[in-house]
């Protein structure tokens, strides 16, 4: 008994991370840290114009350089790399990994160099010259919709990828028939209507680790191993196998330590395909590491969508109907999820409100810019922004407290599961509880008084409030073309240690810790007896990946199920050893024993050893303790919350300072509140970043103006206040953990509440809406009587 | 990002550096901290064929006071200027300015001389040196010369420094009543507008409130190079040493400059308006340093 | 080529390098000290921060030849054997990292910060991190980590 200390329950505790010892000592292995014997380096020559036809590519100087192994043009690459595939059911133009004839954005690859080291590869890429026939750059999204000043892709007239796709009230599920009766009635009955065009601008995801790929094709085995800074190695494996006519058994994809993803590292990129294809062609290992300056051009951007919102309401603030017309600037091509991102915006148009009639339309437009795709929140922050800013405008128009307008429209707790006008089925929620807690933590009435006092003193102080609800825990398969499940395998080894795998490949989310906590409780063993494996398709047999706040809600649930299966089998072995009934056994403190009689039991190790040398083998059992599970949720989860901001604007310079940010988030049950806080902090910083300092900008000629951290700001420590967090807990019924997911939550409410706070601070100048970002000059103009 | 290749030479003394510089035939570039030069080289905006490293030349480092003048060696890093007790006590504006450059790592490596030689139009030091009426010490094959800050900054990345010369030090009379104020560009932390103001005060008496005898005001970030705001200097002279009077004197600051910068971070109109705001803040900041 | 000799984490390391070799690449590729990361190319992000002669510096903005004869400390040299540096402990205890990519540079920067100012205020900590970007944490737990090191270190 001496070896069995009392083990504390782990789930729900602030357990410090098991990932950290290696990372704080510089012992993590990221892609660029890898070395393989004989490995050479890849660099890309990239277009420096936004739109043009290639007349010629001169690679002669590059090819003649010492240390250059090979140089490939787009046409040569196209001989063995097919067009880059997408996964959404929308029409998509031909997208070559390396341009064959027409460049469509600055940064698009035009040629590829293989050299013996990265310095030579870069020298050679710089020495490649391209002669272009210049074409007009398509930059302005709404002008692009008229086909002006040029058409990017021949089969996409007026640059439309998707045109006026309707959904919501009165729209048949196939989108073919549209009945406007309810919507028209809502607007006819309205006592007040607010209408606003809002821009939810482009962002650069900016994971601190740029992308990188190492590919190692071994001709003798006809096997490919690809390491990539990627959020979904199983999807990468499938993509690479399919691209090169290989089987999924012949490709091993590894996402080693990944330095942040934020949605921009879900897909297999052109560079992944090219590096893998060249490794296969040349029979050597190859590495490509993205520069930050490349990342701003070549890694997908996020957001980039214009919303025209109309809200019909009564004079008492009850919303009767809403129209939301979306125009997305998707850049030069559809990439993996591009076309689907705005569908998440429309899906969440109901927000936290019982709105009886809603109509949305989506239009997606090609422009000569970097393609957009998922970025933390991926469509839901945009929905939250449009609707919450709209409700803020409504409150201002009705001279109502912004909290009160929300409260009058909430979906009530007894309405769940709640089917929205958009077809979403919200799982659970108590929105008023989150609002009330946020108001209480903010000291709402006092805060308003402080604001009024400050304004009376001539200071430009404002407060803003936003609710949010997001769709998370992405699955089931009906809504996710990748498959909406997750996979896990749990193995109790002969010595009683536990190996577990998950297909949810983390890049900072701490799954090694949270998943370990869950198994520690499930098996009553110490946390340090458990290893969680991820990110390697040869070890984690199946998986989808980490995006859409799905690690815990889907991946965690799969782990829980796999663990449950092994536990059940282990209980049968223990029951045989103990001559007890398996249902009477408890797993705790490193022992399996009959409930209420801990001394009667066997150590966990003894039972494990028996399962592998089962003499005698209990009837009906196979040897061994290893089980796997797929978990397919019955529905998404819908986490929610309320964020409140206090902002002050310098009257002389227009510089905004965020003074307070109060957040109440409800992600259902929490496995590790410390890690959850970290996730929310990071999301808040990114949401605040969008509102205040981040914006990808292009010149009229399609040249990017923000392609280094010299010009694109992401928040620094001194830009942010100490966040004030709290939470409510409304478990979800759609998975056995009751966990909803939290990775993206912080980006949802923070952005609109900060902008609303700025509008509040400047409302004395007659402004009712300000488009982000809150550029000091823009605010200064408002203060000085100009337009926003 | 990777720079083009170059030859590297380490200079042991100023004379050695000058010899090496001469030998490079105009293609050599001096490097000290490298915090202006290396980023430009990585972006391949600068591709010198020879780098002559002067960082270890001890005689170029250090902060000294002699005969009422302060001399800062060209190799002195921003951190040492920012934290020098001699400067903080006797000429706080220069320490303050150094402390607002870049970030801690940049301040640990970047040097005064490097910043001046590079002459980024948004660099901080030039404004302060103009306000201090600093003399910039240069040494070349034919000896040393001294250039007033007012004459040194000539244009975009252009200063009165020949290819075969190096900056050895900066010398100025310390000023207590001086301050620097800056509107940060939020990504790079360079100055969108930076104003340094140094005031000479007529001490007040029982009967008379103190007034401004004269001033020097340096502006950076707003135009192709740092320059003096002479019209404000004139407007300040004779004014009461009060915050209100300073704001009044700053009215229209920068109105007469015709090559105001415009970029994605600030339009011409906004920059021009900010010149006035930060001139006011610099003047008021200087007054706040008036000994009680 | 140029000969450099740099004392890295207490050990003298000599090598032939191209003069243009950035210190960060010398550390990572010649010495296999891959704990120092590269996150940008314009000296903003600070992921490459090391100590050169005791002061924090961005190793992507220093040529290896410039550091010839210097003492360089990287994240790998911070712990003393099994004994973590108080800042490493602070980052672990306070969940000061997520993806871990900025962390080595962030910690080295904080070493400089606490050397200069052993008891910093929260504002001083935040300003002391001006040269380091983190995209995951929102910095709050990093601030806590520095406070942890300052009070319990």
């Amino acid at each position: 008994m001496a070896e069995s200390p009392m083990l504390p329950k782990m789930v729900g505790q602030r357990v410090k991370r098991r990932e950290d010892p290696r990372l704080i000592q510089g012992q993590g292995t990221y892609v660029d840290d890898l070395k393989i014997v004989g490995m050479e380096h890849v660099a890309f020559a990239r277009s420096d114009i936004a739109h043009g036809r290639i007349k010629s590519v001169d690679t002669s100087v590059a090819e003649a350089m010492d240390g250059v192994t090979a140089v490939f043009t787009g046409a040569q690459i196209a001989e063995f790399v097919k067009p880059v595939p997408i996964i959404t059911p929308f029409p998509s133009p031909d997208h070559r990994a390396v341009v064959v004839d027409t460049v469509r954005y600055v940064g698009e690859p035009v040629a590829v160099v293989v050299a013996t080291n990265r310095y030579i590869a870069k020298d050679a890429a710089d020495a490649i010259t391209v002669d272009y026939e210049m074409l007009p750059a398509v930059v302005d999204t709404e002008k692009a919709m008229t086909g002006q000043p040029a058409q990017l892709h021949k089969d996409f007239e007026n640059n439309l990828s998707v045109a006026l796709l309707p959904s919501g009230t009165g729209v048949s599920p196939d989108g073919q028939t549209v009945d406007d009766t309810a919507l028209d009635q809502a607007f006819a009955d309205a006592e007040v209507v607010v209408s606003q065009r809002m821009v939810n601008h482009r962002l650069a995801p900016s994971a601190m680790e740029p992308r990188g790929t190492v590919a190692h094709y071994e001709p003798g085995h006809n096997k490919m191993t690809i390491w990539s800074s990627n959020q979904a190695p199983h999807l990468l494996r499938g993509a690479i196998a399919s691209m090169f006519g290989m089987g999924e058994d012949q490709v091993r994809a590894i996402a080693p330590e990944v330095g942040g993803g934020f949605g921009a590292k879900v897909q297999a990129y052109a560079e992944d395909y090219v590096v893998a294809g060249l490794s296969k062609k040349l029979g050597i290992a190859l590495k490509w590491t993205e520069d930050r300056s490349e990342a701003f051009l070549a890694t997908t951007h996020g957001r980039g969508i214009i919303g025209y919102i109309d809200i019909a309401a009564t004079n008492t603030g009850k919303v009767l109907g809403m129209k939301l017309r979306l125009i997305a600037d998707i850049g030069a091509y559809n990439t993996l999820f591009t076309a689907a991102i705005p569908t998440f915006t429309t899906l969440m148009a109901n927000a936290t409100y019982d709105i009886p009639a809603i109509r949305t339309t989506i239009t997606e437009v090609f422009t000569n810019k970097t393609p957009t795709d998922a970025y933390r929140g991926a469509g839901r922050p945009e929905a939250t922004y449009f609707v919450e800013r709209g409700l803020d405008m409504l409150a201002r128009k009705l001279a109502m407290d912004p909290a009160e307008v929300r409260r009058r429209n909430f979906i009530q707790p007894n309405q769940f599961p709640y089917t929205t006008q958009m077809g979403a089925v919200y799982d659970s929620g108590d929105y008023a509880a989150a609002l009330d807690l946020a108001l209480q933590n903010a000291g709402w009435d006092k805060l308003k008084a402080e604001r009024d006092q400050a304004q009376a003193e001539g200071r430009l102080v404002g407060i803003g409030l936003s609710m949010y609800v997001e769709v998370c825990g992405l699955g089931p398969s009906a809504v996710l073309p990748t498959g909406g499940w997750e996979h896990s395998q749990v193995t109790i080894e002969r010595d009683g240690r536990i190996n577990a795998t998950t297909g949810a490949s983390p890049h900072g989310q701490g799954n090694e810790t949270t998943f370990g906590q869950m198994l520690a409780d499930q098996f009553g063993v110490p946390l340090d007896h458990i290893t969680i494996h991820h990110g390697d398709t040869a070890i984690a047999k199946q998986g989808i990946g980490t995006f859409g706040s799905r690690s815990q809600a889907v991946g965690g649930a799969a782990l829980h199920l796999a663990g449950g299966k092994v536990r059940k089998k282990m209980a049968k072995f223990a029951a045989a050893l103990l001559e007890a009934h398996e249902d009477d056994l408890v797993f705790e403190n490193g022992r399996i024993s009959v409930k209420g009689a801990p001394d009667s039991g066997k150590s966990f190790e003894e039972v494990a050893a028996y399962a592998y040398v089962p003499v005698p083998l209990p009837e009906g059992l196979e040897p061994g303790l290893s089980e796997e599970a797929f978990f397919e949720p019955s529905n998404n989860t819908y986490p929610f919350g309320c964020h409140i901001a206090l902002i002050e604007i310098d009257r002389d310079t227009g510089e905004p300072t965020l003074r307070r940010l109060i957040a109440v988030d409800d992600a259902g049950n929490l496995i590790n509140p410390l890690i959850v806080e970290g996730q929310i902090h990071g999301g808040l910083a990114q949401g605040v970043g969008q509102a205040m300092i981040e914006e990808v900008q292009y010149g009229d000629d399609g040249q990017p103006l923000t392609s280094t951290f010299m010009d694109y700001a992401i928040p620094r420590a001194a830009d942010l206040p100490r966040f004030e967090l709290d939470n409510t807990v409304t478990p979800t019924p759609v998975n056995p953990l009751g966990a909803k997911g939290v990775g993206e939550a912080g980006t949802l409410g923070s952005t609109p509440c900060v902008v609303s706070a700025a509008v509040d601070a400047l409302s004395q100048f007659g402004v009712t809406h300000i488009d982000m970002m809150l550029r000091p000059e823009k605010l200064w103009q408002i203060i000085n009587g100009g337009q926003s | 990002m990777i720079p083009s290749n170059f030859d590297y030479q380490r200079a042991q003394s100023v004379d050695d550096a000058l010899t090496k510089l001469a030998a490079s035939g105009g293609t050599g570039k001096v490097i000290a901290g490298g915090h202006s030069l290396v980023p430009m080289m990585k972006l391949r905006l600068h591709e010198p064929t020879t780098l002559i490293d002067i960082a270890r030349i001890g005689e170029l480092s250090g902060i000294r006071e002699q005969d009422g003048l302060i001399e800062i060696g060209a190799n002195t890093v921003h951190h040492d200027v920012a934290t020098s007790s001699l400067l903080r006590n006797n000429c706080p504006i220069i320490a303050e300015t150094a402390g607002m450059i870049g970030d801690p790592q940049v301040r640990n490596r970047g040097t005064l001389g490097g910043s001046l030689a590079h002459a980024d139009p948004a660099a901080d030091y030039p404004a302060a040196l103009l306000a201090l009426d600093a003399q910039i010490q240069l040494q070349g094959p034919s000896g040393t010369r001294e250039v007033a800050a007012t004459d040194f900054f000539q244009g975009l990345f252009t200063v009165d420094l020949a290819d075969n010369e190096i900056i050895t030090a900066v010398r100025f009379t310390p000023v207590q009543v001086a301050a620097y104020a800056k509107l940060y560009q939020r990504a790079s932390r360079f100055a969108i507008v930076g104003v340094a103001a140094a005031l000479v005060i007529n001490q007040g008496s029982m009967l008379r409130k103190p007034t401004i005898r004269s001033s020097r005001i340096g502006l950076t970030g707003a135009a192709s190079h740092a320059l003096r705001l002479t019209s404000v200097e004139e407007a300040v002279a004779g004014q009461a040493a009060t915050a209100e009077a300073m704001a009044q004197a700053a009215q229209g600051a920068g109105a007469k400059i015709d090559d105001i910068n415009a970029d994605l971070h600030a339009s011409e109109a906004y920059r021009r308006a900010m010149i006035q705001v930060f001139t006011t803040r610099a003047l008021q900041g200087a007054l706040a340093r008036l000994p009680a | 080529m140029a000969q450099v000799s740099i004392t890295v984490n207490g050990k003298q390391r000599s090598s032939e390098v191209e003069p243009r070799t950035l210190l960060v690449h010398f550390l990572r590729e010649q010495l296999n000290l891959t704990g120092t990361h590269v996150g940008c190319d314009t000296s903003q992000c600070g992921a490459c921060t090391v100590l050169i002669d005791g002061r924090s510096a961005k190793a992507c903005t220093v040529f290896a030849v410039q550091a010839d004869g210097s003492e360089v400390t990287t994240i790998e040299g911070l712990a003393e054997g099994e004994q973590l540096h108080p800042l490493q402990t602070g980052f672990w205890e306070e969940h000061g990292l997520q993806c871990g990519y900025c962390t080595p540079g962030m910690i080295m920067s904080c070493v400089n910060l606490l050397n200069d100012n052993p008891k910093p205020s929260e504002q001083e900590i935040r300003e002391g991190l001006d040269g380091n970007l983190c995209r995951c944490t929102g910095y709050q737990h990093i601030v806590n980590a520095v406070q942890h090191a300052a009070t319990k270190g």
Side-chain angles (χ1 to χ4, degrees), chain B residues 237-279:
Chain B
Q239 298 299 317
T242 64
E244 299 73 32
M246 295 302 98
Q248 191 59 41
Q251 289 286 327
K256 289 183 191 137
I257 305 169
D258 34 67
D259 66 336
I260 295 282
N261 297 333
D263 57 30
L264 78 157
H265 302 290
S267 70
E268 179 185 335
Y270 180 62
R271 261 201 179 79
R272 204 181 286 281
M274 290 307 106
I275 295 173
Q276 180 176 320
V277 169
F278 284 85
T279 300

Side-chain angles (χ1 to χ4, degrees), chain A residues 118-119 122-123 126 291 293 650 652-656 692-693 697 705-706 708-713 716 719 773-777 780, chain B residues 1-5 42-44 103 182-190 263-271 273-274 277-278 281:
Chain A
R118 74 169 76 204
Y119 282 32
K122 171 71 181 154
D123 287 344
D126 265 20
D291 285 338
S293 303
D650 185 312
D652 296 332
T653 65
E655 289 175 290
M692 298 184 71
I693 60 173
Q697 289 186 276
L705 304 175
T706 48
T708 70
F709 283 136
M710 294 283 284
D711 289 311
Y712 187 90
R716 289 182 168 87
D719 293 328
M773 67 182 209
L774 299 176
R775 190 178 297 285
E777 176 166 357
W780 172 82
Chain B
M1 288 307 220
I2 289 152
S4 306
N5 226 332
K42 288 170 71 179
L43 296 167
R44 300 199 176 190
D103 57 52
K182 166 184 180 181
L183 178 63
Y184 283 89
Q185 196 262 65
R186 293 183 291 181
S188 70
R189 297 180 57 76
F190 273 90
D263 57 30
L264 78 157
H265 302 290
S267 70
E268 179 185 335
Y270 180 62
R271 261 201 179 79
M274 290 307 106
V277 169
F278 284 85
R281 289 182 183 184

Side-chain angles (χ1 to χ4, degrees), chain A residues 10 15-16 18 512-513 516-517 520 525-531:
Chain A
M10 288 277 131
V15 176
K16 66 181 183 181
R18 311 172 69 204
E512 292 171 35
T513 306
Q517 288 174 255
V525 299
L527 185 56
D528 61 9
H529 285 199
I530 301 163
T531 298

Side-chain angles (χ1 to χ4, degrees), chain A residues 258-277:
Chain A
V258 173
F262 311 113
K265 291 181 180 172
V266 178
Q267 63 185 300
Y269 276 85
E271 292 88 350
D272 292 305
Y273 293 117
V274 170
V275 173

Side-chain angles (χ1 to χ4, degrees), chain A residues 638-711:
Chain A
Y638 293 86
F640 59 91
C642 177
H643 295 171
I644 294 172
L646 174 71
I647 204 170
E648 178 158 7
I649 296 165
D650 185 312
R651 186 180 281 273
D652 296 332
T653 65
E655 289 175 290
T657 302
L658 183 61
R659 297 264 181 241
R660 288 181 72 188
L661 190 61
I662 298 103
V664 169
D665 297 276
D666 191 323
N669 291 332
L670 308 182
I671 310 298
N672 184 329
L674 181 66
I675 286 177
V676 167
E677 279 174 19
Q679 288 291 315
I680 292 170
H681 289 161
L684 292 174
Q686 288 181 3
V688 170
Q690 173 169 25
M692 298 184 71
I693 60 173
E694 295 185 37
E695 182 175 10
V696 169
Q697 289 186 276
Y698 284 87
D700 293 341
D701 54 359
Q703 287 293 331
L705 304 175
T706 48
S707 52
T708 70
F709 283 136
M710 294 283 284
D711 289 311

Side-chain angles (χ1 to χ4, degrees), chain A residues 184-208:
Chain A
D184 288 346
Q185 191 60 51
F187 278 82
D189 291 345
E191 292 166 323
V192 56
V193 174
V194 291
S195 299
Q196 182 67 45
R197 175 186 187 271
M198 301 179 191
V199 179
N200 198 297
H201 59 275
R202 270 180 179 248
L203 301 174
S206 304
M208 290 319 300

Side-chain angles (χ1 to χ4, degrees), chain A residues 260-569:
Chain A
F262 311 113
K265 291 181 180 172
V266 178
Q267 63 185 300
Y269 276 85
E271 292 88 350
D272 292 305
Y273 293 117
V274 170
V275 173
L278 284 173
S279 177
K280 185 160 185 275
K281 186 180 179 68
L282 302 175
I284 55 173
L286 292 173
K287 178 193 280 186
W288 167 72
T289 304
E290 187 179 56
D291 285 338
R292 177 62 57 191
S293 303
E294 278 183 295
F296 275 107
L297 310 176
T299 293
T300 53
H301 293 164
R303 318 275 192 264
I305 188 164
I306 299 165
Y308 286 85
I309 191 165
D310 304 282
I311 296 177
T314 67
N315 280 333
T316 56
K318 179 74 188 102
V319 176
L320 302 174
M322 186 176 83
K323 298 180 203 168
L324 180 60
R325 182 159 64 91
L326 299 173
I327 301 167
D329 162 15
I330 61 172
Y333 300 96
N334 279 332
T335 62
L336 192 74
F337 290 129
T338 305
I341 305 297
T343 66
F344 284 113
T345 305
T346 58
L347 183 68
M348 297 315 294
N350 242 108
T352 54
Y353 310 110
D354 191 2
I355 303 175
I358 301 177
R359 172 68 44 73
T360 62
T361 63
I362 297 173
T363 299
E364 302 187 18
V365 187
F366 291 115
T367 58
N368 288 120
K369 301 176 198 168
T370 297
T372 58
D373 205 303
Y375 169 61
R376 200 171 197 169
R380 296 94 96 202
E382 295 90 317
T384 306
Y385 182 75
F386 296 135
V387 175
E388 291 297 322
R389 280 294 309 129
L391 281 181
D392 200 70
M393 292 179 69
L394 176 64
R396 194 164 294 284
K397 193 157 186 168
L398 296 174
M400 282 178 67
D401 184 311
E404 187 54 31
V405 168
R406 268 91 178 172
R407 193 186 300 282
R408 288 185 186 181
N409 289 286
F410 278 151
I411 298 161
Q412 298 302 313
N414 61 9
Q415 290 177 276
F416 292 93
Y418 176 87
T419 302
T420 72
Q421 295 300 313
M422 311 312 299
V425 182
Y426 290 178
D427 54 348
S428 61
D430 187 344
Y431 303 142
L435 174 66
D436 287 338
L437 185 57
L439 294 177
Q440 180 192 318
N441 291 353
W444 184 246
D445 290 332
K446 192 160 159 273
L447 197 64
K448 287 197 289 186
E450 283 169 12
R451 185 245 349 242
D452 294 344
Q453 175 64 32
Q455 292 201 353
E457 292 165 6
R459 288 163 56 205
L460 303 176
V461 172
I463 54 181
L465 175 148
S466 174
M467 296 298 299
Y468 75 86
V469 56
E470 57 170 341
V471 50
C472 287
L474 292 189
S477 296
V479 300
L480 203 58
T482 56
W485 43 264
E486 202 42 87
H487 175 268
S488 177
Q489 178 164 23
V490 177
T491 303
I492 315 298
E493 302 293 354
R494 286 165 175 254
D495 60 359
R497 306 271 300 197
I498 300 178
N499 266 316
T501 70
T502 175
S505 182
H507 35 284
Q509 291 84 354
N511 296 9
E512 292 171 35
T513 306
T514 49
F515 286 18
Q517 288 174 255
M518 290 164 58
L519 291 178
D521 280 3
Q522 200 166 19
F523 290 98
V525 299
L527 185 56
D528 61 9
H529 285 199
I530 301 163
T531 298
I532 306 293
H533 301 270
H534 55 77
D536 181 343
T537 62
I539 296 173
K541 289 193 282 189
Q542 285 295 343
I544 302 297
T546 290
F547 52 88
S549 304
R550 67 194 303 279
S551 284
Q552 193 54 250
V554 191
L559 178 96
H560 178 79
L561 294 186
K565 286 186 188 176
V566 189
R567 191 182 187 280
K568 199 168 168 105
K569 186 172 180 188

